Amino acid sequence: MLLIFLSFGAGIAAGLILKRKRDSLKEERALLISVVAMIFFMGASIGSDPNIKEYAASIGLSSLLFAIFMGLGSAGGAYVLRRLMPR
Amino acid sequence: MGGIIIGALYPSEYYSAAGELMLYALLFIIGISVGFNTETLKKAVHVLDRRMLLLPAFSIAGAMLGGALAGLIFGLPLKISLAIAAGMGWYSLAGPMLSVVSPIYGSIAFLGNIGRELLTFLTVPLKKTGPMESIAMGGATAMDTTMPVITESTGREYVLACLYNGMILSSLVPLLIGMMLSLP
């Protein structure tokens, strides 16, 4: 958690310092490349888990349903909050 | 999907470290783009209103309800379903904690919470949900892995809201899972 805040804080500090040399095209490109690379490596680390195939075959359906219900449940909670407390 | 296939074909323990490294690089780049634009920074503070402050509570309640429903379909005990849902996307914690009770429950918690993260990656960029719903769907991962996708889809002014939501949920997840497992 500390590394997360350090990386983000260092980025903000660097952005404030380098403000005059801003290059939005390079910024967008770096962001896109790092998002794609991060998702790729996350996927690769999930795929290289030796138990993942066994898990997926045996309890894949229940896990999938849990994933969908939990994700939609949280989004639904946020929707209810938005309706209860309009801006 | 490409990553999962490559990982399955050529397993390596370095993928996880590389992914983590990319995450920190990504957070640094997002930080730079926020720092470049002080207006975004002001908006980010403004976005943290009372609704955003309450979002973690509603996010947890929604996930618990969803988890209970999923558990009902598969005939799982309620406390196990609630404990799985209390993972809030933190699969590396929810899986091992549930494995203490049963390896099957641990596996469901692990894969279910991975699935939740993947669901966020797949659905948030479609921009069919609002910023609050997107952040809530990310759960505890809204402060790290899913933050780039959420901020790119909803706006960089939501970066602080992502951090706040992820931080609160991450600190509550171990307590919540423990509490659910100790239910009679």
PDB file of all heavy atoms in Angstrom, chain B residues 158-180:
ATOM      1  N   TYR B 158     -11.471  11.181 -10.792  1.00  0.00           N
ATOM      2  CA  TYR B 158     -11.954  10.167  -9.847  1.00  0.00           C
ATOM      3  C   TYR B 158     -10.826   9.364  -9.201  1.00  0.00           C
ATOM      4  O   TYR B 158     -11.076   8.383  -8.525  1.00  0.00           O
ATOM      5  CB  TYR B 158     -12.954   9.226 -10.531  1.00  0.00           C
ATOM      6  CG  TYR B 158     -14.262   9.919 -10.785  1.00  0.00           C
ATOM      7  CD1 TYR B 158     -14.551  10.477 -12.021  1.00  0.00           C
ATOM      8  CD2 TYR B 158     -15.192  10.089  -9.766  1.00  0.00           C
ATOM      9  CE1 TYR B 158     -15.726  11.175 -12.247  1.00  0.00           C
ATOM     10  CE2 TYR B 158     -16.372  10.780  -9.974  1.00  0.00           C
ATOM     11  CZ  TYR B 158     -16.629  11.318 -11.221  1.00  0.00           C
ATOM     12  OH  TYR B 158     -17.780  12.009 -11.414  1.00  0.00           O
ATOM     13  N   VAL B 159      -9.600   9.806  -9.448  1.00  0.00           N
ATOM     14  CA  VAL B 159      -8.450   9.046  -8.940  1.00  0.00           C
ATOM     15  C   VAL B 159      -8.421   8.993  -7.402  1.00  0.00           C
ATOM     16  O   VAL B 159      -8.174   7.942  -6.811  1.00  0.00           O
ATOM     17  CB  VAL B 159      -7.138   9.606  -9.554  1.00  0.00           C
ATOM     18  CG1 VAL B 159      -6.790  10.952  -9.014  1.00  0.00           C
ATOM     19  CG2 VAL B 159      -5.985   8.654  -9.350  1.00  0.00           C
ATOM     20  N   LEU B 160      -8.743  10.106  -6.751  1.00  0.00           N
ATOM     21  CA  LEU B 160      -8.739  10.114  -5.280  1.00  0.00           C
ATOM     22  C   LEU B 160      -9.882   9.264  -4.726  1.00  0.00           C
ATOM     23  O   LEU B 160      -9.728   8.596  -3.703  1.00  0.00           O
ATOM     24  CB  LEU B 160      -8.850  11.544  -4.743  1.00  0.00           C
ATOM     25  CG  LEU B 160      -7.575  12.392  -4.757  1.00  0.00           C
ATOM     26  CD1 LEU B 160      -7.835  13.719  -4.060  1.00  0.00           C
ATOM     27  CD2 LEU B 160      -6.414  11.686  -4.080  1.00  0.00           C
ATOM     28  N   ALA B 161     -11.033   9.314  -5.427  1.00  0.00           N
ATOM     29  CA  ALA B 161     -12.179   8.496  -4.999  1.00  0.00           C
ATOM     30  C   ALA B 161     -11.826   7.014  -5.090  1.00  0.00           C
ATOM     31  O   ALA B 161     -12.185   6.230  -4.209  1.00  0.00           O
ATOM     32  CB  ALA B 161     -13.393   8.808  -5.865  1.00  0.00           C
ATOM     33  N   CYS B 162     -11.093   6.636  -6.150  1.00  0.00           N
ATOM     34  CA  CYS B 162     -10.649   5.240  -6.296  1.00  0.00           C
ATOM     35  C   CYS B 162      -9.724   4.858  -5.140  1.00  0.00           C
ATOM     36  O   CYS B 162      -9.875   3.796  -4.538  1.00  0.00           O
ATOM     37  CB  CYS B 162      -9.878   5.050  -7.607  1.00  0.00           C
ATOM     38  SG  CYS B 162     -10.899   4.963  -9.055  1.00  0.00           S
ATOM     39  N   LEU B 163      -8.775   5.716  -4.852  1.00  0.00           N
ATOM     40  CA  LEU B 163      -7.814   5.439  -3.777  1.00  0.00           C
ATOM     41  C   LEU B 163      -8.529   5.324  -2.441  1.00  0.00           C
ATOM     42  O   LEU B 163      -8.265   4.420  -1.655  1.00  0.00           O
ATOM     43  CB  LEU B 163      -6.771   6.562  -3.706  1.00  0.00           C
ATOM     44  CG  LEU B 163      -5.607   6.468  -4.693  1.00  0.00           C
ATOM     45  CD1 LEU B 163      -4.776   7.732  -4.639  1.00  0.00           C
ATOM     46  CD2 LEU B 163      -4.724   5.262  -4.403  1.00  0.00           C
ATOM     47  N   TYR B 164      -9.461   6.266  -2.188  1.00  0.00           N
ATOM     48  CA  TYR B 164     -10.199   6.266  -0.915  1.00  0.00           C
ATOM     49  C   TYR B 164     -11.001   4.968  -0.770  1.00  0.00           C
ATOM     50  O   TYR B 164     -10.906   4.276   0.249  1.00  0.00           O
ATOM     51  CB  TYR B 164     -11.123   7.488  -0.858  1.00  0.00           C
ATOM     52  CG  TYR B 164     -12.182   7.390   0.214  1.00  0.00           C
ATOM     53  CD1 TYR B 164     -11.851   7.596   1.549  1.00  0.00           C
ATOM     54  CD2 TYR B 164     -13.496   7.065  -0.104  1.00  0.00           C
ATOM     55  CE1 TYR B 164     -12.820   7.478   2.532  1.00  0.00           C
ATOM     56  CE2 TYR B 164     -14.460   6.943   0.872  1.00  0.00           C
ATOM     57  CZ  TYR B 164     -14.123   7.156   2.188  1.00  0.00           C
ATOM     58  OH  TYR B 164     -15.075   7.023   3.159  1.00  0.00           O
ATOM     59  N   ASN B 165     -11.783   4.646  -1.824  1.00  0.00           N
ATOM     60  CA  ASN B 165     -12.629   3.456  -1.772  1.00  0.00           C
ATOM     61  C   ASN B 165     -11.796   2.175  -1.592  1.00  0.00           C
ATOM     62  O   ASN B 165     -12.104   1.342  -0.738  1.00  0.00           O
ATOM     63  CB  ASN B 165     -13.433   3.376  -3.080  1.00  0.00           C
ATOM     64  CG  ASN B 165     -14.602   2.440  -2.979  1.00  0.00           C
ATOM     65  OD1 ASN B 165     -15.532   2.661  -2.221  1.00  0.00           O
ATOM     66  ND2 ASN B 165     -14.545   1.370  -3.727  1.00  0.00           N
ATOM     67  N   GLY B 166     -10.714   2.069  -2.385  1.00  0.00           N
ATOM     68  CA  GLY B 166      -9.860   0.888  -2.301  1.00  0.00           C
ATOM     69  C   GLY B 166      -9.188   0.760  -0.951  1.00  0.00           C
ATOM     70  O   GLY B 166      -9.072  -0.340  -0.398  1.00  0.00           O
ATOM     71  N   MET B 167      -8.765   1.892  -0.406  1.00  0.00           N
ATOM     72  CA  MET B 167      -8.055   1.870   0.876  1.00  0.00           C
ATOM     73  C   MET B 167      -8.984   1.429   2.014  1.00  0.00           C
ATOM     74  O   MET B 167      -8.620   0.582   2.832  1.00  0.00           O
ATOM     75  CB  MET B 167      -7.521   3.275   1.165  1.00  0.00           C
ATOM     76  CG  MET B 167      -6.378   3.324   2.130  1.00  0.00           C
ATOM     77  SD  MET B 167      -5.754   5.003   2.225  1.00  0.00           S
ATOM     78  CE  MET B 167      -7.099   5.865   2.969  1.00  0.00           C
ATOM     79  N   ILE B 168     -10.207   2.009   2.026  1.00  0.00           N
ATOM     80  CA  ILE B 168     -11.170   1.636   3.085  1.00  0.00           C
ATOM     81  C   ILE B 168     -11.519   0.152   2.973  1.00  0.00           C
ATOM     82  O   ILE B 168     -11.504  -0.585   3.969  1.00  0.00           O
ATOM     83  CB  ILE B 168     -12.470   2.500   2.984  1.00  0.00           C
ATOM     84  CG1 ILE B 168     -12.160   3.984   3.181  1.00  0.00           C
ATOM     85  CG2 ILE B 168     -13.543   2.017   3.942  1.00  0.00           C
ATOM     86  CD1 ILE B 168     -11.781   4.386   4.583  1.00  0.00           C
ATOM     87  N   LEU B 169     -11.820  -0.278   1.740  1.00  0.00           N
ATOM     88  CA  LEU B 169     -12.214  -1.684   1.566  1.00  0.00           C
ATOM     89  C   LEU B 169     -11.065  -2.632   1.905  1.00  0.00           C
ATOM     90  O   LEU B 169     -11.275  -3.637   2.575  1.00  0.00           O
ATOM     91  CB  LEU B 169     -12.707  -1.936   0.133  1.00  0.00           C
ATOM     92  CG  LEU B 169     -14.037  -1.274  -0.234  1.00  0.00           C
ATOM     93  CD1 LEU B 169     -14.415  -1.591  -1.668  1.00  0.00           C
ATOM     94  CD2 LEU B 169     -15.154  -1.722   0.693  1.00  0.00           C
ATOM     95  N   SER B 170      -9.846  -2.284   1.461  1.00  0.00           N
ATOM     96  CA  SER B 170      -8.698  -3.166   1.745  1.00  0.00           C
ATOM     97  C   SER B 170      -8.470  -3.318   3.239  1.00  0.00           C
ATOM     98  O   SER B 170      -8.080  -4.385   3.702  1.00  0.00           O
ATOM     99  CB  SER B 170      -7.428  -2.620   1.105  1.00  0.00           C
ATOM    100  OG  SER B 170      -7.574  -2.590  -0.271  1.00  0.00           O
ATOM    101  N   SER B 171      -8.706  -2.235   3.986  1.00  0.00           N
ATOM    102  CA  SER B 171      -8.474  -2.353   5.430  1.00  0.00           C
ATOM    103  C   SER B 171      -9.623  -3.102   6.118  1.00  0.00           C
ATOM    104  O   SER B 171      -9.432  -3.654   7.199  1.00  0.00           O
ATOM    105  CB  SER B 171      -8.258  -0.977   6.064  1.00  0.00           C
ATOM    106  OG  SER B 171      -9.278  -0.121   5.683  1.00  0.00           O
ATOM    107  N   LEU B 172     -10.806  -3.140   5.464  1.00  0.00           N
ATOM    108  CA  LEU B 172     -11.945  -3.829   6.080  1.00  0.00           C
ATOM    109  C   LEU B 172     -12.041  -5.308   5.707  1.00  0.00           C
ATOM    110  O   LEU B 172     -12.610  -6.096   6.461  1.00  0.00           O
ATOM    111  CB  LEU B 172     -13.253  -3.134   5.688  1.00  0.00           C
ATOM    112  CG  LEU B 172     -13.535  -1.769   6.336  1.00  0.00           C
ATOM    113  CD1 LEU B 172     -14.845  -1.209   5.806  1.00  0.00           C
ATOM    114  CD2 LEU B 172     -13.619  -1.891   7.853  1.00  0.00           C
ATOM    115  N   VAL B 173     -11.483  -5.661   4.523  1.00  0.00           N
ATOM    116  CA  VAL B 173     -11.650  -7.043   4.019  1.00  0.00           C
ATOM    117  C   VAL B 173     -11.220  -8.121   5.024  1.00  0.00           C
ATOM    118  O   VAL B 173     -12.012  -9.034   5.315  1.00  0.00           O
ATOM    119  CB  VAL B 173     -10.934  -7.226   2.646  1.00  0.00           C
ATOM    120  CG1 VAL B 173     -10.762  -8.690   2.285  1.00  0.00           C
ATOM    121  CG2 VAL B 173     -11.724  -6.529   1.560  1.00  0.00           C
ATOM    122  N   PRO B 174     -10.012  -8.056   5.611  1.00  0.00           N
ATOM    123  CA  PRO B 174      -9.628  -9.126   6.554  1.00  0.00           C
ATOM    124  C   PRO B 174     -10.593  -9.228   7.737  1.00  0.00           C
ATOM    125  O   PRO B 174     -10.957 -10.340   8.160  1.00  0.00           O
ATOM    126  CB  PRO B 174      -8.234  -8.699   7.044  1.00  0.00           C
ATOM    127  CG  PRO B 174      -7.752  -7.697   6.062  1.00  0.00           C
ATOM    128  CD  PRO B 174      -8.950  -7.049   5.480  1.00  0.00           C
ATOM    129  N   LEU B 175     -11.040  -8.071   8.235  1.00  0.00           N
ATOM    130  CA  LEU B 175     -11.985  -8.070   9.369  1.00  0.00           C
ATOM    131  C   LEU B 175     -13.322  -8.666   8.957  1.00  0.00           C
ATOM    132  O   LEU B 175     -13.906  -9.487   9.669  1.00  0.00           O
ATOM    133  CB  LEU B 175     -12.221  -6.634   9.849  1.00  0.00           C
ATOM    134  CG  LEU B 175     -11.057  -5.921  10.510  1.00  0.00           C
ATOM    135  CD1 LEU B 175     -11.402  -4.461  10.756  1.00  0.00           C
ATOM    136  CD2 LEU B 175     -10.749  -6.592  11.848  1.00  0.00           C
ATOM    137  N   LEU B 176     -13.808  -8.240   7.784  1.00  0.00           N
ATOM    138  CA  LEU B 176     -15.119  -8.710   7.312  1.00  0.00           C
ATOM    139  C   LEU B 176     -15.129 -10.217   7.083  1.00  0.00           C
ATOM    140  O   LEU B 176     -16.068 -10.899   7.508  1.00  0.00           O
ATOM    141  CB  LEU B 176     -15.484  -8.007   6.004  1.00  0.00           C
ATOM    142  CG  LEU B 176     -16.081  -6.605   6.118  1.00  0.00           C
ATOM    143  CD1 LEU B 176     -16.249  -5.987   4.737  1.00  0.00           C
ATOM    144  CD2 LEU B 176     -17.434  -6.651   6.819  1.00  0.00           C
ATOM    145  N   ILE B 177     -14.082 -10.725   6.417  1.00  0.00           N
ATOM    146  CA  ILE B 177     -14.044 -12.183   6.165  1.00  0.00           C
ATOM    147  C   ILE B 177     -14.023 -12.927   7.505  1.00  0.00           C
ATOM    148  O   ILE B 177     -14.773 -13.889   7.709  1.00  0.00           O
ATOM    149  CB  ILE B 177     -12.814 -12.583   5.303  1.00  0.00           C
ATOM    150  CG1 ILE B 177     -12.913 -11.940   3.920  1.00  0.00           C
ATOM    151  CG2 ILE B 177     -12.733 -14.109   5.161  1.00  0.00           C
ATOM    152  CD1 ILE B 177     -11.728 -12.240   3.003  1.00  0.00           C
ATOM    153  N   GLY B 178     -13.191 -12.451   8.427  1.00  0.00           N
ATOM    154  CA  GLY B 178     -13.117 -13.075   9.750  1.00  0.00           C
ATOM    155  C   GLY B 178     -14.459 -13.049  10.463  1.00  0.00           C
ATOM    156  O   GLY B 178     -14.895 -14.046  11.052  1.00  0.00           O
ATOM    157  N   MET B 179     -15.141 -11.891  10.375  1.00  0.00           N
ATOM    158  CA  MET B 179     -16.451 -11.751  11.033  1.00  0.00           C
ATOM    159  C   MET B 179     -17.476 -12.702  10.430  1.00  0.00           C
ATOM    160  O   MET B 179     -18.249 -13.347  11.136  1.00  0.00           O
ATOM    161  CB  MET B 179     -16.952 -10.305  10.900  1.00  0.00           C
ATOM    162  CG  MET B 179     -16.450  -9.386  11.984  1.00  0.00           C
ATOM    163  SD  MET B 179     -16.740  -7.653  11.599  1.00  0.00           S
ATOM    164  CE  MET B 179     -18.498  -7.596  11.462  1.00  0.00           C
ATOM    165  N   MET B 180     -17.494 -12.789   9.096  1.00  0.00           N
ATOM    166  CA  MET B 180     -18.473 -13.659   8.424  1.00  0.00           C
ATOM    167  C   MET B 180     -18.224 -15.132   8.769  1.00  0.00           C
ATOM    168  O   MET B 180     -19.154 -15.885   8.981  1.00  0.00           O
ATOM    169  CB  MET B 180     -18.413 -13.465   6.893  1.00  0.00           C
ATOM    170  CG  MET B 180     -18.839 -12.106   6.431  1.00  0.00           C
ATOM    171  SD  MET B 180     -20.439 -11.656   7.088  1.00  0.00           S
ATOM    172  CE  MET B 180     -20.144  -9.985   7.599  1.00  0.00           C
TER     173      MET B 180
END
